[in-house]
Amino acid sequence: MAKRNEPVRKSVKDTLEDLLVGHREAAFSGPESALKYLRRTFESQASLPNAVKGIAYDLMAEAQAQCGQWEACVESVGQAVGYLADLEAAFPHEYRRMLEGMTCFERGVQAQSELGDFHAALELCERAIALDLGAHYAAKRDSLEWAR
């Protein structure tokens, strides 16, 4: 009787690395190609770890912002932010560095502003400030203060 091959089970870190490599290669052809790659990844990877989904949605929000797809960008930002706890749980030692490398807050503020939802942009600034992501979010918040 032939021995059955066990399915390959990748770690969250390996899955993330695969995603980043694939995205990097696709992004060389522009944001549209990056979006296509990320959509296909979500379609084909039903069991993508939540921490990796957070990074994938962050990358998707960046590409959508580059393409001017503001409504879709807002949705991706919401998804990325929703997976931050999973990202921290999966990568406790690298979480801070990874969080600081994410663009979802920046793109979310941009998208909400483009759509005229300045209150939502202000809320994202407040959340970024609470996460200590940089003084520029305080400046953005101050510039949106009139929206309160």
Side-chain angles (χ1 to χ4, degrees):
M1 210 195 266
K3 185 175 180 182
R4 186 180 222 169
N5 288 337
E6 291 295 318
V8 176
R9 302 212 192 282
K10 290 187 175 188
S11 69
V12 176
K13 187 174 185 175
D14 290 341
T15 303
L16 177 60
E17 187 58 35
D18 289 349
L19 173 84
L20 294 174
V21 168
H23 174 266
R24 203 171 309 128
E25 290 172 4
F28 281 128
S29 299
E32 295 86 3
S33 293
L35 281 173
K36 184 177 179 180
Y37 168 76
L38 292 166
R39 284 188 192 110
R40 285 185 176 171
T41 298
F42 278 116
E43 290 168 3
S44 66
Q45 300 279 333
S47 62
L48 201 63
N50 286 345
V52 177
K53 286 179 186 176
I55 297 296
Y57 279 115
D58 178 65
L59 296 170
M60 190 172 271
E62 178 66 33
Q64 289 163 331
Q66 290 174 12
C67 293
Q69 298 174 7
W70 303 119
E71 293 90 359
C73 180
V74 166
E75 290 177 29
S76 294
V77 167
Q79 291 288 336
V81 171
Y83 286 116
L84 289 180
D86 296 301
L87 185 64
E88 185 174 20
F91 299 98
H93 300 295
E94 293 113 341
Y95 173 71
R96 188 74 207 165
R97 178 189 54 77
M98 293 170 89
L99 180 63
E100 290 172 352
M102 294 175 77
T103 62
C104 59
F105 288 98
E106 187 76 30
R107 294 300 153 242
V109 171
Q110 179 184 10
Q112 294 290 13
S113 296
E114 288 287 338
L115 294 171
D117 192 348
F118 301 106
H119 183 68
L122 191 57
E123 287 177 10
L124 275 172
C125 288
E126 294 288 352
R127 182 115 187 237
I129 291 166
L131 290 169
D132 195 26
L133 291 180
H136 63 287
Y137 287 105
K140 286 179 186 294
R141 178 198 57 202
D142 293 346
S143 72
L144 292 168
E145 197 63 37
W146 60 269
R148 283 199 195 270

